[in-house]
Amino acid sequence: MVAVNPIQGLRTAEPRTGHDPRTAMRQVRKRPVPTGDQILVIADRVKELGGRSAQVMVITAAFTGMRWGEITGLAKRNCHPEQLHLQIDPETGALHEVRGAMWLGPPKTETAARRIDLPPFLATLLQQVMDGHDHQQVFVTADGRWHRRSNFARRRWRPACDGDTQRGWPPILPGWSSTVCATTICATTTRACWTSSVSRRR
């Protein structure tokens, strides 16, 4: 697989103007990528706003790169912390939300149905979350409901990233629009930090 799209940002020639696409390269705005320490601070803030389960959800999403629907749709039966892995089910592995309606269905692509290996510390955190409730999904709200993307972003994620003056929180990544952190964080960059730091915060 090609890691970087070689034609990203390249515009095709305009047939009427004869515009040369080699001079049409545009600057692509880079997404902010948080450090491991920043993620831990964000996760701690999310814990204060939404509890322990929400904190672990942020750490799990950041470390594994799971999409929002995959992590909120993760079923306990597909999470195997004792074997250090979890599975994205090809039929019901993602939580879908359209116009207020929510249901479990296939992940975004066929290749998204995959096995994800877990480090021991993350397996321990997931086991603690699963032991804390009797619902089918690993990550649910305090009253046992499925997480809604907009609610989580507004009540947990935005204050944690943008800061909250009432709580004395300075901004960390203001305006960061990622849902949780999937796909924007390089796990290899943050792994060493989490391995040493998360154990101190458990």
Side-chain angles (χ1 to χ4, degrees), residues 33-37 39 62-63 185-195:
V33 179
T35 65
D37 285 336
I39 283 296
F63 193 92
I185 300 169
C186 179
T188 56
T189 303
T190 55
R191 181 172 304 168
C193 174
W194 284 331
T195 302

Side-chain angles (χ1 to χ4, degrees), residues 43-96:
D44 285 348
R45 291 179 177 181
V46 169
K47 178 184 179 181
E48 186 170 333
L49 297 169
R52 175 65 164 169
S53 176
Q55 178 195 33
V56 176
M57 184 169 72
V58 169
I59 295 174
T60 304
F63 193 92
T64 63
M66 295 171 68
R67 296 181 176 94
W68 169 261
E70 294 171 352
I71 197 164
T72 54
L74 179 63
K76 285 184 175 181
R77 68 176 183 276
N78 293 324
C79 190
H80 310 284
E82 70 285 351
Q83 300 172 10
L84 299 180
H85 78 271
L86 56 83
Q87 193 75 32
I88 305 299
D89 189 273
E91 300 297 331
T92 60
L95 179 63
H96 299 271

Side-chain angles (χ1 to χ4, degrees), residues 1-200:
M1 294 186 295
V2 179
V4 179
N5 184 354
I7 63 170
Q8 177 67 39
L10 182 65
R11 295 167 54 192
T12 58
E14 295 290 343
R16 289 178 295 179
T17 62
H19 187 65
D20 188 349
R22 291 174 297 179
T23 63
M25 293 297 292
R26 60 180 173 85
Q27 293 294 327
V28 178
R29 184 180 179 183
K30 294 183 178 180
R31 293 181 179 180
V33 179
T35 65
D37 285 336
Q38 287 176 323
I39 283 296
L40 287 176
V41 174
I42 291 172
D44 285 348
R45 291 179 177 181
V46 169
K47 178 184 179 181
E48 186 170 333
L49 297 169
R52 175 65 164 169
S53 176
Q55 178 195 33
V56 176
M57 184 169 72
V58 169
I59 295 174
T60 304
F63 193 92
T64 63
M66 295 171 68
R67 296 181 176 94
W68 169 261
E70 294 171 352
I71 197 164
T72 54
L74 179 63
K76 285 184 175 181
R77 68 176 183 276
N78 293 324
C79 190
H80 310 284
E82 70 285 351
Q83 300 172 10
L84 299 180
H85 78 271
L86 56 83
Q87 193 75 32
I88 305 299
D89 189 273
E91 300 297 331
T92 60
L95 179 63
H96 299 271
E97 180 180 353
V98 178
R99 296 180 179 178
M102 304 178 73
W103 70 94
L104 294 171
K108 187 174 183 179
T109 65
E110 292 184 3
T111 56
R114 64 198 185 279
R115 166 179 165 148
I116 299 176
D117 293 326
L118 303 171
F121 87 86
L122 186 52
T124 299
L125 295 179
L126 289 171
Q127 186 65 66
Q128 292 173 353
V129 170
M130 290 192 294
D131 290 344
H133 64 80
D134 298 326
H135 304 287
Q136 294 183 356
Q137 264 55 51
V138 176
F139 297 109
V140 293
T141 63
D143 57 357
R145 299 175 182 270
W146 288 337
H147 280 285
R148 288 188 179 275
R149 183 194 302 256
S150 58
N151 288 347
F152 188 89
R154 183 178 68 256
R155 299 174 183 175
R156 317 281 191 261
W157 188 248
R158 288 266 57 88
C161 292
D162 296 346
D164 188 327
T165 55
Q166 293 183 348
R167 293 182 171 86
W169 293 349
I172 297 178
L173 288 175
W176 188 24
S177 60
S178 173
T179 50
V180 190
C181 358
T183 74
T184 64
I185 300 169
C186 179
T188 56
T189 303
T190 55
R191 181 172 304 168
C193 174
W194 284 331
T195 302
S196 60
S197 300
V198 171
S199 62
R200 300 197 305 267

